[in-house]
Amino acid sequence: MPSIAGGGRLFAAHRGGIWWLRRRQHQPFSSLAGGGGRGGAPHLPVLIVGAGPVGLVLSFLLTKFGIKCAVIEKNVEFTRHPRAHFINNRTMEIFRKLDGLAGEIERSQPPVDLWRKFVYCTSLSGSVLGSVDHMKQEDFDKVISPISVAHFSQYKLVDLLLKKLEGIGFQTCFPGEIGNTTQDLGIESKILMGHECTFLQQTDEGILVGTSVNNGGRMVERKRKLHCGLLVGTDGARSTVRELAGIAMEGERDLQKLVSVHFLSRDLGRYLSTQRPGMLFFVFNPDAIGVLVAHDLEHGEFVLQIPFYPPQQMFEEFSAKVCEQIIVKLVGWEPADIQVLDIKPWAMHAEVAEKYVGCNNRVVLAGDAAHRFPPAGGFGMNTGVQDAHNLAWKLGLMLNGVASPSIMQTYESERRPVAIFNTELSVENFKAAMSIPATLGLDPTLANSVHQVINKSLGSIIPRNVQKAVLEGLFSIGRAQLSDYILNEKNPLGSLRLARLRSILDEGKSLQLQFPAEDLGFCYEEGALVAEDCGEKPQKGAKLRHSKRASREYIPSANTGARLPHMQIRALPASSEGVFSTLDLVSGDKLEFVLIIAPLKESYEIARATLKVADEFKLSAKVCVMWPQGSASAEVEESRSELAPWTNYVDVEEVPMASGSSWWEMCRISRKSVILVRPDEHIAWRMESDMMRDTDSEVRRAFSQILCLN
């Protein structure tokens, strides 16, 4: 049974949490940044459990920031099941800073015209009931972001991340390639495949991690333990780290059980590419119901999602042959080259961990280990990558002794409300998806009710095969509502249902793909930032509590906690760099704060104080002076004299879009504002330059609050 121990004594893991048996003083985190340690056990600043996209992104960022780390993964090889596939704007912005990862995704993904639509039909070759185009012109014009969304299978993303990690010195090691003796100390910058976390023990210096290694299919306990200053669980929905830390999940479980069928068919891919391209196909007919995800039409790669209802329907009954038969029913003809690669069961949950940080700030959860969403809207992997992005800079500054260990609590206070909101949004989006079959006379809630009734009333009385016959018989009667006899314009009932379906699609009340207001517009209310003095403080979470499925327009904001708005700018004096985004002012290679000011005397004073105080705090900082479009080189020379002797500044001019709004107008603030941006591109502090009294003291107070040094 998994367990966690501390201070040499065992912690008892219970459903209600962990009973701390003894408290100990811990070695400062700052002494761990470079590795090393006492006692003979390998010692790492950070050990990451789980080599999915979230764990790999975190390991890449930490390595870039000079923090030594390693990754362990229980699977012997990386899965080829496509899983997640939609990468939203904010995640693509993060990927831009990962040595050009976003550009590689854009070049490798299928053409946009092959995946921009959701299609609703009676079969893949039958009547189209409706479709929704989820791409807008602003996505291509890059008005609100320097990069567009992407459609790229998770396993392909993992392949690219592994190449990026290899480029910065990481090595993937498989069982047998690393020893099990006292000599296997050099695990930093390695991904250890086939290694499963089995227990945790808290020590004076961090966390001692027990592991088992896959030896020819049999798990064998490693003789040597792994010792780390901080353990990050990115090990997925069934997180072992979360279980060992005694952290419970809160929310709804088992919203729906499904079978995921990964298959290839170039015949089907060619047909859909030319006849009805799309990303998702919702197929409803009297013989079968399913959702087909077209991961890559050009190569004929698909995943079919089929609802199933245990215990009457068992996963084992979904053999490759049975799945092929279902595919043919949904296609409407029989492709000659169907190749079923993988069949997996999964359950849809809507849960968030009760806390993200435990064990005296030594154990942290991220990604699916911290939150489990319905896939509607593609928030799962995207939220996880953004968790890693939020966590990495805080770990970097903490482990280098710049920030207090309590900054880890700001990871939870910032990211957990986002996960709760995204959970609710995913559930609403899932319910919107279910409104389509309900409109066609096939209400999924009724199907679930029938299933529950059979379980409660017949489960202990009649054999399972009889229960299955009853359940499938009732479902067959329900699917009869989808017959051509009923579902046509000449049938009054069918005509009414089709009209309602078109109305749902036209009004944007069906399943949505993009949520720009939520994707780019979410705002941290409290955390590693200086909250704005707004008189009446909003209720906790109020900034995330807007109308959820309104698909509202993204409104750029320079409020504290918001992501820095995107505008195109150009370096002054003119250089060969050309036009770039305001987001590019923030480095992707080092932990650096950026202060954005207008060329005003009071703002220059704050800039000098910021550079001075940052130097005191051993922080890297840079000043950006935002000039109006068309500013002359002679004017720009003012920055040199105003900021002397400091040289870590850049002058840029606005390159506004057709609307002509200046940077300050777009952000809805005055030119007297100064904006301090964190390494994760979120605004940490905003102040009016003419409101400052004791500039040095106020800047010092702001950095102290951001770094949790108060």
Side-chain angles (χ1 to χ4, degrees):
M1 178 179 177
S3 61
I4 177 170
R9 295 192 181 180
L10 189 68
F11 284 124
H14 297 287
R15 290 182 181 177
I18 294 181
W19 296 95
W20 295 84
L21 302 182
R22 187 162 115 190
R23 302 181 65 148
R24 297 290 300 269
Q25 294 297 316
H26 300 282
Q27 181 185 12
F29 280 98
S30 58
S31 65
L32 305 175
R38 293 173 289 180
H43 202 296
L44 278 170
V46 180
L47 178 64
I48 300 166
V49 180
V54 177
L56 296 179
V57 167
L58 180 59
S59 61
F60 185 93
L61 291 171
L62 290 177
T63 303
K64 278 284 189 177
F65 297 154
I67 303 300
K68 294 179 180 179
C69 61
V71 184
I72 62 173
E73 166 59 47
K74 68 179 179 181
N75 293 305
V76 176
E77 57 186 23
F78 294 98
T79 180
R80 309 308 287 177
H81 202 93
R83 297 186 181 179
H85 58 95
F86 177 67
I87 308 176
N88 68 21
N89 264 136
R90 185 64 191 127
T91 301
M92 286 294 282
E93 288 177 352
I94 294 168
F95 286 170
R96 290 176 75 242
K97 303 288 182 73
L98 269 60
D99 288 358
L101 175 63
E104 292 187 38
I105 291 171
E106 286 189 313
R107 291 188 292 273
S108 303
Q109 70 173 345
V112 175
D113 286 343
L114 293 184
W115 55 264
R116 59 191 295 167
K117 291 183 179 181
F118 289 177
V119 179
Y120 300 83
C121 54
T122 57
S123 75
L124 295 177
S125 56
S127 301
V128 174
L129 305 175
S131 65
V132 178
D133 188 341
H134 291 282
M135 298 297 288
K136 299 178 181 178
Q137 188 57 43
E138 69 178 25
D139 297 316
F140 303 105
D141 294 341
K142 301 181 179 178
V143 174
I144 62 176
S145 174
I147 196 160
S148 188
V149 300
H151 173 51
F152 196 63
S153 298
Q154 180 173 320
Y155 77 88
K156 296 178 182 178
L157 173 61
V158 167
D159 287 346
L160 291 183
L161 284 168
L162 290 172
K163 290 180 182 177
K164 294 296 180 186
L165 283 164
E166 184 180 345
I168 58 173
F170 254 79
Q171 178 184 357
T172 301
C173 300
F174 297 92
E177 294 180 357
I178 187 166
N180 195 35
T181 70
T182 56
Q183 298 177 351
D184 59 339
L185 303 180
I187 66 167
E188 62 191 44
S189 300
K190 288 185 172 62
I191 302 169
L192 306 184
M193 301 299 293
H195 283 66
E196 182 174 11
C197 176
T198 55
F199 81 90
L200 314 178
Q201 180 182 349
Q202 197 164 343
T203 71
D204 291 345
E205 297 180 345
I207 299 289
L208 198 63
V209 181
T211 61
S212 294
V213 63
N214 191 309
N215 184 3
R218 186 171 62 92
M219 301 305 293
V220 178
E221 184 178 354
R222 280 181 58 97
K223 297 175 183 177
R224 299 291 292 167
K225 304 296 186 289
L226 305 179
H227 201 190
C228 60
L230 192 139
L231 181 71
V232 184
T234 61
D235 49 339
R238 294 185 291 274
S239 170
T240 300
V241 172
R242 186 182 66 233
E243 179 186 353
L244 292 174
I247 299 175
M249 298 293 282
E250 298 175 342
E252 296 181 76
R253 290 182 57 83
D254 297 329
L255 297 176
Q256 178 74 63
K257 287 186 169 64
L258 300 105
V259 173
S260 180
V261 184
H262 180 204
F263 72 96
L264 301 177
S265 174
R266 286 186 176 271
D267 282 355
L268 181 58
R270 280 191 292 268
Y271 171 78
L272 292 175
S273 294
T274 57
Q275 299 301 313
R276 53 180 69 169
M279 176 193 286
L280 298 185
F281 296 84
F282 299 84
V283 188
F284 310 99
N285 67 50
D287 296 320
I289 292 172
V291 179
L292 185 73
V293 184
H295 280 264
D296 190 338
L297 287 179
E298 291 183 315
H299 295 91
E301 184 171 25
F302 302 91
V303 170
L304 176 63
Q305 305 289 1
I306 311 165
F308 85 113
Y309 298 85
Q312 291 79 21
Q313 297 175 331
M314 301 298 288
F315 168 68
E316 292 74 18
E317 296 169 355
F318 287 86
S319 63
K321 184 176 181 180
V322 167
C323 291
E324 285 181 22
Q325 293 170 348
I326 295 172
I327 292 167
V328 170
K329 290 175 182 177
L330 295 172
V331 171
W333 51 275
E334 186 171 356
D337 61 346
I338 296 176
Q339 181 185 0
V340 174
L341 302 178
D342 196 13
I343 307 168
K344 291 181 179 293
W346 65 281
M348 189 185 298
H349 306 297
E351 297 180 304
V352 177
E354 62 180 351
K355 58 183 179 179
Y356 280 23
V357 181
C359 302
N360 198 32
N361 294 329
R362 298 285 188 175
V363 176
V364 182
L365 303 179
D368 286 355
H371 42 72
R372 305 193 286 200
F373 309 145
F379 289 98
M381 183 185 72
N382 289 295
T383 305
V385 169
Q386 292 160 36
D387 289 343
H389 193 231
N390 182 286
L391 180 60
W393 74 271
K394 295 174 181 177
L395 282 175
L397 292 181
M398 182 189 72
L399 290 170
N400 282 312
V402 177
S404 162
S406 59
I407 199 172
M408 297 310 302
Q409 293 298 325
T410 72
Y411 164 66
E412 178 175 314
S413 64
E414 291 180 357
R415 294 304 302 167
R416 190 169 183 273
V418 172
I420 291 171
F421 181 82
N422 286 348
T423 303
E424 295 171 356
L425 186 56
S426 298
V427 170
E428 289 201 12
N429 210 25
F430 171 64
K431 290 178 179 177
M434 295 301 98
S435 70
I436 299 297
T439 298
L440 298 175
L442 197 67
D443 191 341
T445 59
L446 183 59
N448 288 330
S449 298
V450 168
H451 182 228
Q452 290 174 10
V453 168
I454 291 176
N455 283 340
K456 291 178 181 178
S457 61
L458 303 178
S460 60
I461 302 173
I462 62 176
R464 187 187 71 84
N465 61 333
V466 177
Q467 294 179 47
K468 178 183 177 183
V470 171
L471 182 71
E472 294 185 348
L474 291 171
F475 285 175
S476 180
I477 293 171
R479 289 196 303 270
Q481 300 293 315
L482 305 171
S483 67
D484 292 338
Y485 174 75
I486 295 177
L487 207 58
N488 69 78
E489 296 290 356
K490 295 181 179 179
N491 184 305
L493 178 60
S495 178
L496 178 63
R497 288 175 173 174
L498 291 171
R500 286 177 179 169
L501 182 145
R502 287 191 291 269
S503 176
I504 290 172
L505 299 182
D506 292 343
E507 294 173 12
K509 295 180 179 179
S510 61
L511 177 69
Q512 297 298 300
L513 179 65
Q514 292 206 64
F515 293 85
E518 292 76 15
D519 176 11
L520 300 175
F522 68 87
C523 186
Y524 300 136
E525 182 180 335
E526 57 184 46
L529 46 84
V530 182
E532 294 178 40
D533 185 6
C534 304
E536 183 180 349
K537 187 177 179 180
Q539 285 184 303
K540 187 174 182 179
K543 293 184 181 181
L544 289 170
R545 209 181 281 139
H546 44 66
S547 176
K548 295 186 180 63
R549 290 200 68 260
S551 291
R552 299 176 313 120
E553 178 185 359
Y554 163 70
I555 300 173
S557 168
N559 289 337
T560 301
R563 157 219 177 242
L564 181 69
H566 156 72
M567 175 183 269
Q568 291 190 331
I569 53 178
R570 182 185 295 112
L572 291 174
S575 69
S576 59
E577 287 184 56
V579 172
F580 55 96
S581 171
T582 47
L583 295 173
D584 295 324
L585 294 169
V586 182
S587 173
D589 296 326
K590 60 181 177 178
L591 295 167
E592 183 176 67
F593 285 77
V594 177
L595 187 78
I596 301 176
I597 66 170
L600 302 174
K601 184 174 182 60
E602 297 89 345
S603 298
Y604 278 124
E605 182 182 350
I606 296 173
R608 291 193 299 272
T610 299
L611 295 173
K612 172 187 172 184
V613 172
D615 201 44
E616 293 173 7
F617 279 82
K618 295 182 172 57
L619 275 174
S620 177
K622 176 175 67 180
V623 171
C624 167
V625 185
M626 186 75 71
W627 293 83
Q629 188 174 29
S631 296
S633 297
E635 294 178 282
V636 176
E637 284 297 313
E638 180 184 357
S639 295
R640 178 181 298 179
S641 58
E642 287 286 351
L643 294 175
W646 305 100
T647 59
N648 42 333
Y649 70 90
V650 59
D651 290 292
V652 300
E653 68 169 331
E654 306 161 343
V655 184
M657 300 294 285
S659 63
S661 296
S662 73
W663 163 257
W664 310 101
E665 290 168 339
M666 184 187 75
C667 293
R668 293 170 172 75
I669 55 177
S670 76
R671 295 178 75 246
K672 295 179 180 179
S673 294
V674 295
I675 301 170
L676 183 65
V677 187
R678 309 187 317 193
D680 65 347
E681 300 165 1
H682 278 258
I683 296 169
W685 181 49
R686 193 185 83 197
M687 177 59 72
E688 296 294 308
S689 57
D690 60 350
M691 299 292 288
M692 300 278 276
R693 297 295 176 259
D694 184 345
T695 304
D696 282 15
S697 295
E698 294 201 39
V699 171
R700 192 171 288 109
R701 188 181 307 116
F703 273 119
S704 294
Q705 191 166 335
I706 293 163
L707 301 173
C708 299
L709 298 173
N710 294 336

